[in-house]
């Protein structure tokens, strides 16, 4: 079966861009973020009657003006903004202005009925929101995503997700283009003024806020709330168990991010991988470094207790893959480096491949759960990452995908209640098992 294929030159560009992306850690409490939509006058995580009340206070001079108070985005605070907030609450607004993940203000004409999606994380988010019927075009990598995108993967393509073809987009007559923060800046002018370009990061610490924002844009607020409540419950459960741990109780981790790109390429605390490791209760030894290649001698000196290998297309791993040969070879390539033979992670067999599918997307709670189980088996004896994975697929992606028969996500597999999770049961190699 086919896996997500990434050309080497595109991967190189992505690595450079991703190294600049900030995904700072924050707690799972919803009050820790602001929903960045104009009309959220009181700067909390929703738009409701409290915003009307707060805005009235601004007009009366009893409340301070806030960044998002200008609901209709006309440069002044007045009764028109109250009317706009009331329309947003009633799902009747004609336009909506947001702050996208690049910090730019974007005004979207409502309702959005025709959507071009660029990027697998964005496509996953649209399906979670049950808005796939709005999609009329996709980037050229998404036809390979037929497992999670059985209908969307068959739609017309508009080129690379970072450098799409503006003419191909315009030919589909979309209302909006949804892409990564790294989507080329020239696209805004190339398809303006009738098509809004919205960039979101549906992963990392701001995932819930970004998904809720997208729920407002696509008129799928209830669906966004449902997913964020489910996601938040799992995050909070894991967070509540690790927050009392001392630093000494958090195993040290070396992230071997892209072994096929470059040996010893690691990721810092501002990366998606760093976020996942910290949320799972680990200590990333490269947390305060720049993401990039580090010296092998430094890794040896740090002597990490775990090594997590980012398994990508070249391995292969994830959905649509049923054979462990790729990740087995990738793991062997790391554990057989002679210079690492005395590192704790190698000596103790704590070297794991983790599929990028469950790290670099809205699915990150799945990888956090698997890693928490690996790092703290006593704390998470009752945690079943595969059950979370199955619920995500069945409930939110509405996919009948049997994890007992398909997919390679964590290798070697994790032992759960006498069974093994992370790979298809029938392919468990006799020489391996949960480390």
């Amino acid at each position: 079966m086919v896996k997500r294929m990434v050309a080497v030159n595109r991967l190189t560009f992505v690595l450079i861009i991703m190294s600049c992306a900030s995904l700072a850690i924050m707690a799972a409490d919803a009050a820790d973020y602001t929903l960045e939509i104009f009309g959220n006058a009181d700067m909390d995580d929703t738009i409701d009657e409290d915003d009307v009340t707060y805005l009235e206070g601004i007009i009366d001079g009893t409340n301070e003006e806030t960044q998002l108070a200008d609901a209709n985005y006309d440069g002044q605070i007045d009764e028109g903004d109250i009317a706009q907030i009331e329309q947003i609450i009633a799902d009747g607004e004609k336009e909506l202005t947001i702050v996208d993940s690049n910090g730019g203000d974007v005004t979207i004409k409502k309702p959005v009925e025709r959507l071009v999606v660029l990027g697998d994380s964005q496509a996953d988010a649209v399906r979670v929101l049950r808005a796939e019927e709005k999609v009329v075009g996709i980037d050229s990598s998404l036809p390979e995503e037929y497992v999670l995108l059985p209908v969307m993967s068959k739609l017309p393509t508009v080129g690379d997700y970072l450098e799409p073809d503006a003419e191909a987009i315009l030919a589909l007559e979309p209302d909006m283009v949804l892409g990564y923060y790294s989507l080329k800046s020239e696209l805004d002018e190339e398809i303006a003024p009738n098509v809004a370009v919205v960039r979101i990061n549906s992963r990392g610490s701001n995932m819930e806020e970004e998904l809720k924002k997208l729920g407002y844009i696509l008129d799928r607020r209830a669906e966004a709330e449902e997913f964020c409540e489910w996601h938040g419950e799992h995050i909070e459960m894991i967070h509540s168990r690790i927050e009392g741990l001392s630093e000494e109780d958090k195993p040290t981790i070396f992230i071997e991010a892209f072994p096929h790109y470059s040996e010893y390429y690691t990721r810092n605390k501002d990366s998606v991988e760093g976020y996942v490791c910290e949320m799972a209760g680990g200590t990333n030894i490269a947390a305060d470094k720049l993401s990039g290649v580090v010296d092998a001698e430094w890794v040896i000196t740090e002597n990490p207790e775990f090594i997590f290998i980012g398994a990508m297309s070249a391995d292969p791993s994830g959905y649509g893959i049923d054979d462990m040969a790729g990740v087995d070879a990738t793991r062997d390539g790391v554990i057989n480096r002679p210079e690492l033979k005395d590192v704790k992670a190698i000596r103790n067999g704590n070297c794991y491949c983790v599929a990028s599918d469950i790290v670099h997307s809205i699915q990150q709670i799945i990888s956090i759960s698997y890693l928490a189980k690996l790092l703290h088996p006593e704390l998470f004896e009752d945690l079943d990452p595969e059950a979370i994975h199955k619920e995500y697929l069945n409930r939110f992606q509405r996919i009948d995908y049997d994890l007992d028969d398909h997919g390679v996500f964590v290798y070697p597999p994790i032992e759960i209640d006498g069974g093994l999770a992370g790979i298809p049961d029938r392919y468990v190699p006799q020489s391996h098992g949960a480390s």
Side-chain angles (χ1 to χ4, degrees):
M1 299 177 80
V2 182
K3 175 65 185 78
R4 307 181 179 200
M5 302 306 291
V6 182
V8 173
N9 59 342
R10 190 172 93 177
L11 175 59
T12 303
F13 180 75
V14 172
L15 296 180
I16 295 170
I17 293 294
M18 286 174 63
S19 296
C20 301
S22 175
L23 291 165
I25 307 298
M26 62 172 63
D29 188 351
D32 286 339
Y33 66 78
T34 296
L35 182 69
E36 293 187 311
I37 297 176
F38 283 84
N40 185 16
D42 63 1
M43 304 291 284
D44 64 1
D45 63 343
T46 191
I47 296 177
D48 54 21
E49 292 295 338
D50 289 342
D51 294 294
V52 174
T53 301
Y54 191 90
L55 192 57
E56 288 172 340
I58 295 176
I59 294 172
D60 293 341
T62 57
N63 289 337
E64 291 187 7
E65 184 175 331
T66 59
Q67 175 191 355
L68 302 173
D70 185 11
N72 61 6
Y73 203 66
D74 66 353
Q76 54 188 354
I77 308 297
D78 55 23
E79 296 293 332
D81 297 302
I82 293 177
Q84 170 71 359
I85 294 174
E86 290 174 340
Q87 288 174 356
I88 293 174
I89 294 171
D91 289 328
E93 74 275 18
K94 301 300 181 184
E95 290 186 348
L96 190 70
T97 302
I98 67 160
V99 181
D100 75 0
S101 63
N102 281 0
D105 299 346
V106 181
T107 298
I108 302 115
K109 295 179 181 179
K110 298 284 300 293
V112 175
E113 301 291 356
R114 296 178 63 82
L115 177 66
V116 169
V117 175
L118 308 175
D120 51 6
S121 294
Q122 282 64 25
D124 290 349
V126 169
R127 275 193 56 83
V128 162
L129 296 180
R130 298 175 183 260
E132 58 264 40
E133 78 280 357
K134 296 176 180 286
V135 181
V136 296
I138 58 176
D139 75 80
S140 56
S141 73
L142 293 186
E144 297 162 355
E145 304 289 347
Y146 60 86
V147 173
L148 291 185
L149 307 174
V151 175
M152 204 185 302
S153 62
K154 299 175 183 177
L155 294 174
T157 60
V158 296
D160 185 86
Y161 77 104
L162 294 176
E163 300 283 340
D165 185 328
E167 290 186 6
I169 291 174
L170 290 172
L172 296 174
E173 300 182 343
D175 303 310
M176 189 179 100
V177 172
L178 179 67
Y180 284 105
Y181 63 91
S182 47
L183 178 63
K184 68 173 182 177
S185 58
E186 296 87 353
L187 185 65
D188 303 64
E189 295 182 1
E190 292 173 351
I191 64 175
N194 295 321
V195 182
V197 180
V198 175
R199 297 166 173 84
I200 67 165
N201 284 330
S202 53
R203 57 193 183 189
S205 60
N206 61 349
M207 187 277 290
E208 289 188 18
E209 187 267 328
E210 295 281 73
L211 190 68
K212 286 187 179 182
K213 189 188 302 179
L214 189 58
Y216 275 84
I217 295 170
L218 298 180
D219 297 319
R220 294 292 189 275
R221 292 185 221 173
E223 290 82 358
E225 288 289 344
E226 180 186 3
F227 181 82
C228 289
E229 181 179 356
W230 175 82
H231 177 272
E233 287 174 355
H234 289 298
I235 287 288
E236 179 56 31
M237 182 275 292
I238 293 172
H239 177 71
S240 67
R241 297 188 188 185
I242 66 172
E243 65 178 342
L245 295 176
S246 67
E247 290 305 309
E248 290 74 21
D249 291 330
K250 296 178 180 180
T252 53
I253 302 165
F254 174 63
I255 301 170
E256 174 87 16
F258 309 104
H260 290 287
Y261 169 71
S262 179
E263 290 186 358
Y264 298 107
Y265 192 108
T266 195
R267 307 288 279 140
N268 65 15
K269 63 184 177 182
D270 294 329
S271 67
V272 179
E273 298 92 337
Y275 170 80
V276 166
C277 286
E278 286 202 43
M279 291 302 292
T283 298
N284 175 12
I285 63 172
D288 296 322
K289 287 184 170 289
L290 291 175
S291 289
V293 177
V294 295
D295 189 78
E297 288 298 324
W298 176 79
V299 177
I300 295 168
T301 301
E302 291 292 320
N303 199 16
E305 297 166 82
F306 282 80
I307 295 176
F308 289 141
I309 305 167
M312 301 186 75
S313 311
D315 297 292
S317 65
Y319 299 101
I321 298 299
D322 298 343
D323 191 335
M324 267 66 66
V327 288
D328 192 39
T330 297
R331 180 176 183 266
D332 281 348
V334 175
I335 66 177
N336 290 327
R337 293 174 188 169
E339 67 271 20
L340 296 180
K341 62 182 176 62
D342 292 325
V343 169
K344 289 179 183 177
I346 304 299
R347 291 203 320 266
N348 298 329
N350 289 326
C351 183
Y352 292 87
C353 290
V354 183
S356 63
D357 284 2
I358 58 173
V359 176
H360 291 273
S361 76
I362 200 170
Q363 305 176 57
Q364 62 193 23
I365 182 57
I366 300 168
S367 60
I368 292 171
S369 300
Y370 275 118
L371 268 56
K373 188 82 173 181
L374 283 171
L375 295 172
H376 301 286
E378 300 85 3
L379 280 180
F380 296 103
E381 185 176 0
D382 60 336
L383 178 62
D384 187 345
E386 196 160 78
I388 294 173
H389 198 169
K390 289 177 179 178
E391 185 175 10
Y392 170 79
L393 293 173
N394 296 334
R395 178 178 173 185
F396 295 106
Q397 291 291 347
R398 303 170 303 287
I399 297 294
D400 183 16
Y401 189 80
D402 192 342
L403 294 174
D404 294 330
D405 290 333
H406 305 293
V408 178
F409 302 98
V410 177
Y411 184 83
I414 301 174
E415 186 171 354
I416 300 177
D417 296 330
L420 296 172
I423 64 174
D425 289 348
R426 68 180 186 273
Y427 282 109
V428 177
Q430 295 302 310
S431 59
H432 288 283
S435 297

